[in-house]
Amino acid sequence: MRRLEHIFVRANGWALILILGAMPLIVGANIALRYLTGHSLSWADEAARYLMIWMTFVGAGLALRMGAHVAITNLQDALPGPGQKMLRGAIVLGLLIFFGFMVSVGIEYAERMQYQMTPALRLPFVYVYAAMPVGFALLILHLMLVAPQFITAGTFKGAAAPESDPAVREGANG
């Protein structure tokens, strides 16, 4: 199971790297072409905008995994140990419900936009709006993977936790 988690986190990270890498390449090529030839790519700004949307949703789960989202812990810190665990469990449950709701809303939006085309790329908007349900589904998966440790200890796994886990190293070596 830990090995699958490791593969999932690495794949999510590589998707984010590819998206982030494509954005400056497209924008840089557009700038270079504009100044060198006087012509620019008509679709570059649109592609960079849609890649940024995808990057936001694909990266949200990794940020959640590392505890990088904004958190106010005043109430949690004021509670005794068992109360803190109950509050963190309620937070996880609330997030799961919210993320599941957003997956369904995202699917509905994507379905509604499937016949409209983007102005420059001429892609169906379903590909842009699909970032929302995909991103929230990734958030659900990441939350489910970090929830036990978060509820019991109030900590997050961090980006390197699966690699530093002895069970993962043994699974990779054996």
Side-chain angles (χ1 to χ4, degrees), residues 1-2 4-10 12-13 59-69 99 138-147 149-150 155-163:
M1 183 63 176
R2 290 184 194 268
L4 287 175
E5 179 180 358
H6 175 70
I7 292 168
F8 168 66
V9 170
R10 300 254 320 172
N12 195 173
L62 290 174
L64 175 82
R65 172 177 218 66
M66 294 185 295
H69 289 284
F99 294 163
L138 288 172
L139 274 163
I140 290 170
L141 288 172
H142 282 291
L143 181 60
M144 295 293 284
L145 292 169
V146 300
Q149 183 177 347
F150 173 68
T155 59
F156 294 91
K157 290 187 175 192
E163 294 174 26

mmCIF file of all heavy atoms in Angstrom, residues 1-2 4-10 12-13 59-69 99 138-147 149-150 155-163:
data_model
loop_
_atom_site.group_PDB
_atom_site.id
_atom_site.type_symbol
_atom_site.label_atom_id
_atom_site.label_comp_id
_atom_site.label_asym_id
_atom_site.label_seq_id
_atom_site.Cartn_x
_atom_site.Cartn_y
_atom_site.Cartn_z
ATOM 1 N N MET A 1 0.827 -1.192 0.000
ATOM 2 C CA MET A 1 0.000 0.000 0.000
ATOM 3 C C MET A 1 0.871 1.256 0.000
ATOM 4 O O MET A 1 0.593 2.198 -0.712
ATOM 5 C CB MET A 1 -0.933 -0.037 1.219
ATOM 6 C CG MET A 1 -1.883 1.119 1.288
ATOM 7 S SD MET A 1 -2.978 1.088 -0.111
ATOM 8 C CE MET A 1 -4.021 2.425 0.252
ATOM 9 N N ARG A 2 1.927 1.245 0.809
ATOM 10 C CA ARG A 2 2.812 2.414 0.870
ATOM 11 C C ARG A 2 3.527 2.625 -0.459
ATOM 12 O O ARG A 2 3.803 3.752 -0.850
ATOM 13 C CB ARG A 2 3.822 2.258 1.994
ATOM 14 C CG ARG A 2 3.191 2.351 3.359
ATOM 15 C CD ARG A 2 4.264 2.282 4.429
ATOM 16 N NE ARG A 2 3.707 2.034 5.730
ATOM 17 C CZ ARG A 2 3.359 2.984 6.582
ATOM 18 N NH1 ARG A 2 3.497 4.232 6.238
ATOM 19 N NH2 ARG A 2 2.869 2.680 7.745
ATOM 20 N N LEU A 4 2.255 1.916 -3.414
ATOM 21 C CA LEU A 4 1.273 2.542 -4.298
ATOM 22 C C LEU A 4 1.127 4.023 -3.981
ATOM 23 O O LEU A 4 1.000 4.846 -4.884
ATOM 24 C CB LEU A 4 -0.079 1.837 -4.175
ATOM 25 C CG LEU A 4 -0.181 0.455 -4.799
ATOM 26 C CD1 LEU A 4 -1.548 -0.156 -4.489
ATOM 27 C CD2 LEU A 4 0.043 0.524 -6.295
ATOM 28 N N GLU A 5 1.147 4.340 -2.696
ATOM 29 C CA GLU A 5 1.075 5.751 -2.299
ATOM 30 C C GLU A 5 2.280 6.513 -2.835
ATOM 31 O O GLU A 5 2.149 7.621 -3.356
ATOM 32 C CB GLU A 5 1.009 5.871 -0.775
ATOM 33 C CG GLU A 5 0.965 7.298 -0.286
ATOM 34 C CD GLU A 5 0.902 7.410 1.225
ATOM 35 O OE1 GLU A 5 0.855 6.385 1.930
ATOM 36 O OE2 GLU A 5 0.910 8.557 1.707
ATOM 37 N N HIS A 6 3.431 5.921 -2.723
ATOM 38 C CA HIS A 6 4.659 6.543 -3.217
ATOM 39 C C HIS A 6 4.559 6.792 -4.729
ATOM 40 O O HIS A 6 4.891 7.877 -5.215
ATOM 41 C CB HIS A 6 5.855 5.649 -2.889
ATOM 42 C CG HIS A 6 7.148 6.129 -3.459
ATOM 43 N ND1 HIS A 6 7.795 7.248 -3.005
ATOM 44 C CD2 HIS A 6 7.908 5.627 -4.468
ATOM 45 C CE1 HIS A 6 8.897 7.429 -3.716
ATOM 46 N NE2 HIS A 6 8.991 6.454 -4.593
ATOM 47 N N ILE A 7 4.087 5.807 -5.467
ATOM 48 C CA ILE A 7 3.928 5.943 -6.918
ATOM 49 C C ILE A 7 2.908 7.030 -7.237
ATOM 50 O O ILE A 7 3.123 7.864 -8.133
ATOM 51 C CB ILE A 7 3.523 4.591 -7.543
ATOM 52 C CG1 ILE A 7 4.684 3.601 -7.443
ATOM 53 C CG2 ILE A 7 3.070 4.759 -8.989
ATOM 54 C CD1 ILE A 7 4.299 2.160 -7.760
ATOM 55 N N PHE A 8 1.806 7.059 -6.506
ATOM 56 C CA PHE A 8 0.774 8.066 -6.710
ATOM 57 C C PHE A 8 1.314 9.474 -6.468
ATOM 58 O O PHE A 8 1.096 10.385 -7.279
ATOM 59 C CB PHE A 8 -0.416 7.778 -5.778
ATOM 60 C CG PHE A 8 -1.416 8.888 -5.689
ATOM 61 C CD1 PHE A 8 -2.170 9.258 -6.782
ATOM 62 C CD2 PHE A 8 -1.605 9.572 -4.493
ATOM 63 C CE1 PHE A 8 -3.089 10.286 -6.694
ATOM 64 C CE2 PHE A 8 -2.508 10.590 -4.394
ATOM 65 C CZ PHE A 8 -3.263 10.954 -5.497
ATOM 66 N N VAL A 9 2.045 9.664 -5.376
ATOM 67 C CA VAL A 9 2.589 10.989 -5.049
ATOM 68 C C VAL A 9 3.609 11.410 -6.100
ATOM 69 O O VAL A 9 3.618 12.557 -6.546
ATOM 70 C CB VAL A 9 3.200 10.989 -3.627
ATOM 71 C CG1 VAL A 9 3.982 12.267 -3.365
ATOM 72 C CG2 VAL A 9 2.107 10.816 -2.590
ATOM 73 N N ARG A 10 4.464 10.490 -6.512
ATOM 74 C CA ARG A 10 5.466 10.822 -7.536
ATOM 75 C C ARG A 10 4.808 11.157 -8.870
ATOM 76 O O ARG A 10 5.225 12.090 -9.546
ATOM 77 C CB ARG A 10 6.449 9.659 -7.715
ATOM 78 C CG ARG A 10 7.205 9.291 -6.473
ATOM 79 C CD ARG A 10 8.589 9.653 -6.398
ATOM 80 N NE ARG A 10 9.355 9.501 -7.617
ATOM 81 C CZ ARG A 10 10.584 9.943 -7.692
ATOM 82 N NH1 ARG A 10 11.144 10.498 -6.665
ATOM 83 N NH2 ARG A 10 11.257 9.810 -8.803
ATOM 84 N N ASN A 12 1.802 12.358 -9.342
ATOM 85 C CA ASN A 12 1.155 13.646 -9.167
ATOM 86 C C ASN A 12 2.198 14.768 -9.242
ATOM 87 O O ASN A 12 1.978 15.799 -9.876
ATOM 88 C CB ASN A 12 0.408 13.682 -7.844
ATOM 89 C CG ASN A 12 -0.574 14.824 -7.712
ATOM 90 O OD1 ASN A 12 -1.313 14.874 -6.737
ATOM 91 N ND2 ASN A 12 -0.621 15.752 -8.648
ATOM 92 N N GLY A 13 3.336 14.542 -8.623
ATOM 93 C CA GLY A 13 4.412 15.528 -8.667
ATOM 94 C C GLY A 13 4.965 15.735 -10.069
ATOM 95 O O GLY A 13 5.206 16.863 -10.496
ATOM 96 N N GLY A 59 -1.981 20.558 -8.223
ATOM 97 C CA GLY A 59 -1.064 20.793 -7.120
ATOM 98 C C GLY A 59 -1.717 20.930 -5.753
ATOM 99 O O GLY A 59 -1.035 20.835 -4.728
ATOM 100 N N ALA A 60 -3.029 21.150 -5.713
ATOM 101 C CA ALA A 60 -3.709 21.364 -4.425
ATOM 102 C C ALA A 60 -3.585 20.152 -3.508
ATOM 103 O O ALA A 60 -3.417 20.298 -2.297
ATOM 104 C CB ALA A 60 -5.174 21.712 -4.660
ATOM 105 N N GLY A 61 -3.658 18.959 -4.053
ATOM 106 C CA GLY A 61 -3.544 17.753 -3.236
ATOM 107 C C GLY A 61 -2.160 17.591 -2.632
ATOM 108 O O GLY A 61 -2.020 17.185 -1.477
ATOM 109 N N LEU A 62 -1.131 17.916 -3.407
ATOM 110 C CA LEU A 62 0.228 17.841 -2.871
ATOM 111 C C LEU A 62 0.436 18.881 -1.781
ATOM 112 O O LEU A 62 1.113 18.620 -0.783
ATOM 113 C CB LEU A 62 1.256 18.025 -3.991
ATOM 114 C CG LEU A 62 1.355 16.874 -4.979
ATOM 115 C CD1 LEU A 62 2.291 17.225 -6.129
ATOM 116 C CD2 LEU A 62 1.824 15.607 -4.290
ATOM 117 N N ALA A 63 -0.137 20.060 -1.959
ATOM 118 C CA ALA A 63 -0.044 21.091 -0.924
ATOM 119 C C ALA A 63 -0.766 20.640 0.344
ATOM 120 O O ALA A 63 -0.269 20.836 1.460
ATOM 121 C CB ALA A 63 -0.626 22.408 -1.429
ATOM 122 N N LEU A 64 -1.923 20.012 0.187
ATOM 123 C CA LEU A 64 -2.660 19.487 1.342
ATOM 124 C C LEU A 64 -1.824 18.443 2.074
ATOM 125 O O LEU A 64 -1.747 18.430 3.294
ATOM 126 C CB LEU A 64 -3.985 18.862 0.888
ATOM 127 C CG LEU A 64 -4.792 18.177 1.972
ATOM 128 C CD1 LEU A 64 -5.585 19.215 2.751
ATOM 129 C CD2 LEU A 64 -5.711 17.141 1.391
ATOM 130 N N ARG A 65 -1.189 17.586 1.323
ATOM 131 C CA ARG A 65 -0.375 16.502 1.877
ATOM 132 C C ARG A 65 0.758 17.033 2.752
ATOM 133 O O ARG A 65 1.133 16.429 3.734
ATOM 134 C CB ARG A 65 0.190 15.701 0.702
ATOM 135 C CG ARG A 65 1.193 14.679 1.037
ATOM 136 C CD ARG A 65 1.590 13.929 -0.221
ATOM 137 N NE ARG A 65 1.783 12.554 0.043
ATOM 138 C CZ ARG A 65 0.882 11.666 0.409
ATOM 139 N NH1 ARG A 65 -0.352 12.009 0.525
ATOM 140 N NH2 ARG A 65 1.187 10.430 0.644
ATOM 141 N N MET A 66 1.305 18.184 2.383
ATOM 142 C CA MET A 66 2.416 18.763 3.138
ATOM 143 C C MET A 66 1.946 19.740 4.213
ATOM 144 O O MET A 66 2.781 20.316 4.909
ATOM 145 C CB MET A 66 3.366 19.482 2.185
ATOM 146 C CG MET A 66 4.057 18.546 1.229
ATOM 147 S SD MET A 66 5.290 19.358 0.198
ATOM 148 C CE MET A 66 4.297 20.448 -0.771
ATOM 149 N N GLY A 67 0.654 19.958 4.310
ATOM 150 C CA GLY A 67 0.146 20.920 5.282
ATOM 151 C C GLY A 67 0.407 22.350 4.858
ATOM 152 O O GLY A 67 0.563 23.231 5.700
ATOM 153 N N ALA A 68 0.470 22.597 3.554
ATOM 154 C CA ALA A 68 0.829 23.918 3.037
ATOM 155 C C ALA A 68 -0.365 24.848 2.862
ATOM 156 O O ALA A 68 -0.171 26.015 2.537
ATOM 157 C CB ALA A 68 1.561 23.763 1.701
ATOM 158 N N HIS A 69 -1.570 24.367 3.042
ATOM 159 C CA HIS A 69 -2.735 25.248 2.960
ATOM 160 C C HIS A 69 -2.849 26.047 4.254
ATOM 161 O O HIS A 69 -2.338 25.657 5.304
ATOM 162 C CB HIS A 69 -4.019 24.441 2.726
ATOM 163 C CG HIS A 69 -4.113 23.853 1.350
ATOM 164 N ND1 HIS A 69 -4.424 24.592 0.241
ATOM 165 C CD2 HIS A 69 -3.919 22.589 0.914
ATOM 166 C CE1 HIS A 69 -4.428 23.815 -0.825
ATOM 167 N NE2 HIS A 69 -4.113 22.591 -0.446
ATOM 168 N N PHE A 99 -15.094 18.196 -0.681
ATOM 169 C CA PHE A 99 -14.367 17.780 -1.885
ATOM 170 C C PHE A 99 -15.251 16.908 -2.777
ATOM 171 O O PHE A 99 -15.241 17.044 -4.000
ATOM 172 C CB PHE A 99 -13.089 17.037 -1.523
ATOM 173 C CG PHE A 99 -12.038 17.873 -0.835
ATOM 174 C CD1 PHE A 99 -10.997 17.258 -0.153
ATOM 175 C CD2 PHE A 99 -12.078 19.258 -0.846
ATOM 176 C CE1 PHE A 99 -10.019 18.003 0.487
ATOM 177 C CE2 PHE A 99 -11.100 20.018 -0.198
ATOM 178 C CZ PHE A 99 -10.075 19.382 0.458
ATOM 179 N N LEU A 138 -8.242 14.257 -6.692
ATOM 180 C CA LEU A 138 -6.884 14.110 -6.165
ATOM 181 C C LEU A 138 -6.812 14.577 -4.710
ATOM 182 O O LEU A 138 -6.125 13.963 -3.888
ATOM 183 C CB LEU A 138 -5.889 14.895 -7.017
ATOM 184 C CG LEU A 138 -5.591 14.325 -8.410
ATOM 185 C CD1 LEU A 138 -4.754 15.307 -9.220
ATOM 186 C CD2 LEU A 138 -4.898 12.982 -8.302
ATOM 187 N N LEU A 139 -7.518 15.655 -4.394
ATOM 188 C CA LEU A 139 -7.566 16.121 -3.009
ATOM 189 C C LEU A 139 -8.152 15.056 -2.095
ATOM 190 O O LEU A 139 -7.665 14.833 -0.984
ATOM 191 C CB LEU A 139 -8.382 17.412 -2.907
ATOM 192 C CG LEU A 139 -7.622 18.704 -3.174
ATOM 193 C CD1 LEU A 139 -8.581 19.856 -3.458
ATOM 194 C CD2 LEU A 139 -6.734 19.040 -1.999
ATOM 195 N N ILE A 140 -9.202 14.390 -2.557
ATOM 196 C CA ILE A 140 -9.810 13.318 -1.758
ATOM 197 C C ILE A 140 -8.797 12.206 -1.510
ATOM 198 O O ILE A 140 -8.634 11.733 -0.379
ATOM 199 C CB ILE A 140 -11.080 12.767 -2.442
ATOM 200 C CG1 ILE A 140 -12.202 13.801 -2.384
ATOM 201 C CG2 ILE A 140 -11.519 11.442 -1.809
ATOM 202 C CD1 ILE A 140 -13.422 13.449 -3.228
ATOM 203 N N LEU A 141 -8.098 11.788 -2.560
ATOM 204 C CA LEU A 141 -7.109 10.713 -2.410
ATOM 205 C C LEU A 141 -5.988 11.118 -1.458
ATOM 206 O O LEU A 141 -5.616 10.348 -0.559
ATOM 207 C CB LEU A 141 -6.536 10.327 -3.771
ATOM 208 C CG LEU A 141 -7.471 9.561 -4.695
ATOM 209 C CD1 LEU A 141 -6.847 9.416 -6.075
ATOM 210 C CD2 LEU A 141 -7.781 8.197 -4.118
ATOM 211 N N HIS A 142 -5.456 12.310 -1.637
ATOM 212 C CA HIS A 142 -4.383 12.766 -0.742
ATOM 213 C C HIS A 142 -4.885 12.876 0.694
ATOM 214 O O HIS A 142 -4.177 12.482 1.626
ATOM 215 C CB HIS A 142 -3.826 14.107 -1.212
ATOM 216 C CG HIS A 142 -2.885 14.001 -2.361
ATOM 217 N ND1 HIS A 142 -1.635 13.443 -2.263
ATOM 218 C CD2 HIS A 142 -3.015 14.383 -3.661
ATOM 219 C CE1 HIS A 142 -1.032 13.492 -3.432
ATOM 220 N NE2 HIS A 142 -1.853 14.057 -4.296
ATOM 221 N N LEU A 143 -6.084 13.401 0.879
ATOM 222 C CA LEU A 143 -6.632 13.543 2.230
ATOM 223 C C LEU A 143 -6.819 12.180 2.885
ATOM 224 O O LEU A 143 -6.494 12.003 4.062
ATOM 225 C CB LEU A 143 -7.953 14.311 2.199
ATOM 226 C CG LEU A 143 -8.614 14.551 3.561
ATOM 227 C CD1 LEU A 143 -7.702 15.343 4.479
ATOM 228 C CD2 LEU A 143 -9.944 15.261 3.382
ATOM 229 N N MET A 144 -7.324 11.217 2.136
ATOM 230 C CA MET A 144 -7.514 9.872 2.692
ATOM 231 C C MET A 144 -6.171 9.257 3.106
ATOM 232 O O MET A 144 -6.107 8.529 4.092
ATOM 233 C CB MET A 144 -8.210 8.966 1.672
ATOM 234 C CG MET A 144 -9.613 9.396 1.337
ATOM 235 S SD MET A 144 -10.735 9.243 2.707
ATOM 236 C CE MET A 144 -10.986 7.503 2.708
ATOM 237 N N LEU A 145 -5.121 9.563 2.368
ATOM 238 C CA LEU A 145 -3.811 9.007 2.676
ATOM 239 C C LEU A 145 -3.153 9.672 3.881
ATOM 240 O O LEU A 145 -2.405 9.027 4.618
ATOM 241 C CB LEU A 145 -2.889 9.096 1.456
ATOM 242 C CG LEU A 145 -3.288 8.191 0.286
ATOM 243 C CD1 LEU A 145 -2.489 8.545 -0.959
ATOM 244 C CD2 LEU A 145 -3.113 6.725 0.651
ATOM 245 N N VAL A 146 -3.408 10.960 4.101
ATOM 246 C CA VAL A 146 -2.784 11.650 5.231
ATOM 247 C C VAL A 146 -3.698 11.739 6.448
ATOM 248 O O VAL A 146 -3.244 12.089 7.531
ATOM 249 C CB VAL A 146 -2.295 13.070 4.850
ATOM 250 C CG1 VAL A 146 -1.264 13.017 3.750
ATOM 251 C CG2 VAL A 146 -3.434 14.001 4.520
ATOM 252 N N ALA A 147 -4.980 11.422 6.283
ATOM 253 C CA ALA A 147 -5.951 11.590 7.370
ATOM 254 C C ALA A 147 -5.604 10.821 8.645
ATOM 255 O O ALA A 147 -5.693 11.407 9.728
ATOM 256 C CB ALA A 147 -7.355 11.226 6.892
ATOM 257 N N GLN A 149 -2.772 9.921 10.039
ATOM 258 C CA GLN A 149 -1.694 10.592 10.768
ATOM 259 C C GLN A 149 -2.134 11.975 11.235
ATOM 260 O O GLN A 149 -1.793 12.403 12.330
ATOM 261 C CB GLN A 149 -0.451 10.703 9.892
ATOM 262 C CG GLN A 149 0.739 11.313 10.602
ATOM 263 C CD GLN A 149 1.975 11.332 9.725
ATOM 264 O OE1 GLN A 149 2.023 10.686 8.684
ATOM 265 N NE2 GLN A 149 2.982 12.069 10.140
ATOM 266 N N PHE A 150 -2.895 12.683 10.416
ATOM 267 C CA PHE A 150 -3.363 14.014 10.796
ATOM 268 C C PHE A 150 -4.311 13.940 11.990
ATOM 269 O O PHE A 150 -4.195 14.714 12.933
ATOM 270 C CB PHE A 150 -4.049 14.696 9.614
ATOM 271 C CG PHE A 150 -4.703 16.000 9.975
ATOM 272 C CD1 PHE A 150 -3.933 17.097 10.326
ATOM 273 C CD2 PHE A 150 -6.078 16.117 9.982
ATOM 274 C CE1 PHE A 150 -4.535 18.308 10.674
ATOM 275 C CE2 PHE A 150 -6.690 17.311 10.332
ATOM 276 C CZ PHE A 150 -5.917 18.413 10.673
ATOM 277 N N THR A 155 -0.207 15.958 12.470
ATOM 278 C CA THR A 155 0.901 16.264 11.563
ATOM 279 C C THR A 155 0.569 15.780 10.166
ATOM 280 O O THR A 155 -0.352 14.994 9.959
ATOM 281 C CB THR A 155 2.207 15.597 12.037
ATOM 282 O OG1 THR A 155 2.002 14.182 12.096
ATOM 283 C CG2 THR A 155 2.626 16.116 13.398
ATOM 284 N N PHE A 156 1.369 16.233 9.224
ATOM 285 C CA PHE A 156 1.196 15.838 7.838
ATOM 286 C C PHE A 156 2.394 15.001 7.419
ATOM 287 O O PHE A 156 3.468 15.098 7.999
ATOM 288 C CB PHE A 156 1.086 17.077 6.947
ATOM 289 C CG PHE A 156 -0.144 17.875 7.223
ATOM 290 C CD1 PHE A 156 -0.128 18.906 8.147
ATOM 291 C CD2 PHE A 156 -1.329 17.586 6.589
ATOM 292 C CE1 PHE A 156 -1.257 19.641 8.423
ATOM 293 C CE2 PHE A 156 -2.476 18.306 6.858
ATOM 294 C CZ PHE A 156 -2.442 19.337 7.774
ATOM 295 N N LYS A 157 2.196 14.219 6.377
ATOM 296 C CA LYS A 157 3.264 13.338 5.921
ATOM 297 C C LYS A 157 4.388 14.104 5.255
ATOM 298 O O LYS A 157 5.522 13.695 5.296
ATOM 299 C CB LYS A 157 2.709 12.295 4.952
ATOM 300 C CG LYS A 157 1.832 11.292 5.643
ATOM 301 C CD LYS A 157 1.453 10.190 4.708
ATOM 302 C CE LYS A 157 0.669 9.141 5.480
ATOM 303 N NZ LYS A 157 0.491 7.937 4.752
ATOM 304 N N GLY A 158 4.077 15.175 4.612
ATOM 305 C CA GLY A 158 5.101 15.902 3.880
ATOM 306 C C GLY A 158 5.408 15.210 2.570
ATOM 307 O O GLY A 158 5.014 14.077 2.341
ATOM 308 N N ALA A 159 6.113 15.903 1.724
ATOM 309 C CA ALA A 159 6.386 15.378 0.390
ATOM 310 C C ALA A 159 7.334 14.190 0.421
ATOM 311 O O ALA A 159 7.244 13.301 -0.397
ATOM 312 C CB ALA A 159 6.967 16.478 -0.486
ATOM 313 N N ALA A 160 8.250 14.160 1.371
ATOM 314 C CA ALA A 160 9.274 13.107 1.372
ATOM 315 C C ALA A 160 8.935 11.944 2.290
ATOM 316 O O ALA A 160 9.701 11.008 2.380
ATOM 317 C CB ALA A 160 10.607 13.701 1.784
ATOM 318 N N ALA A 161 7.817 11.987 2.960
ATOM 319 C CA ALA A 161 7.506 10.952 3.946
ATOM 320 C C ALA A 161 7.451 9.547 3.363
ATOM 321 O O ALA A 161 8.027 8.635 3.938
ATOM 322 C CB ALA A 161 6.207 11.277 4.669
ATOM 323 N N PRO A 162 6.784 9.306 2.211
ATOM 324 C CA PRO A 162 6.759 7.934 1.714
ATOM 325 C C PRO A 162 8.150 7.394 1.396
ATOM 326 O O PRO A 162 8.428 6.235 1.623
ATOM 327 C CB PRO A 162 5.908 8.029 0.438
ATOM 328 C CG PRO A 162 5.052 9.224 0.643
ATOM 329 C CD PRO A 162 5.894 10.173 1.450
ATOM 330 N N GLU A 163 9.051 8.246 0.920
ATOM 331 C CA GLU A 163 10.394 7.783 0.587
ATOM 332 C C GLU A 163 11.196 7.462 1.841
ATOM 333 O O GLU A 163 12.018 6.564 1.854
ATOM 334 C CB GLU A 163 11.132 8.852 -0.220
ATOM 335 C CG GLU A 163 10.526 9.089 -1.574
ATOM 336 C CD GLU A 163 11.200 10.251 -2.282
ATOM 337 O OE1 GLU A 163 12.371 10.543 -1.992
ATOM 338 O OE2 GLU A 163 10.540 10.860 -3.127
#
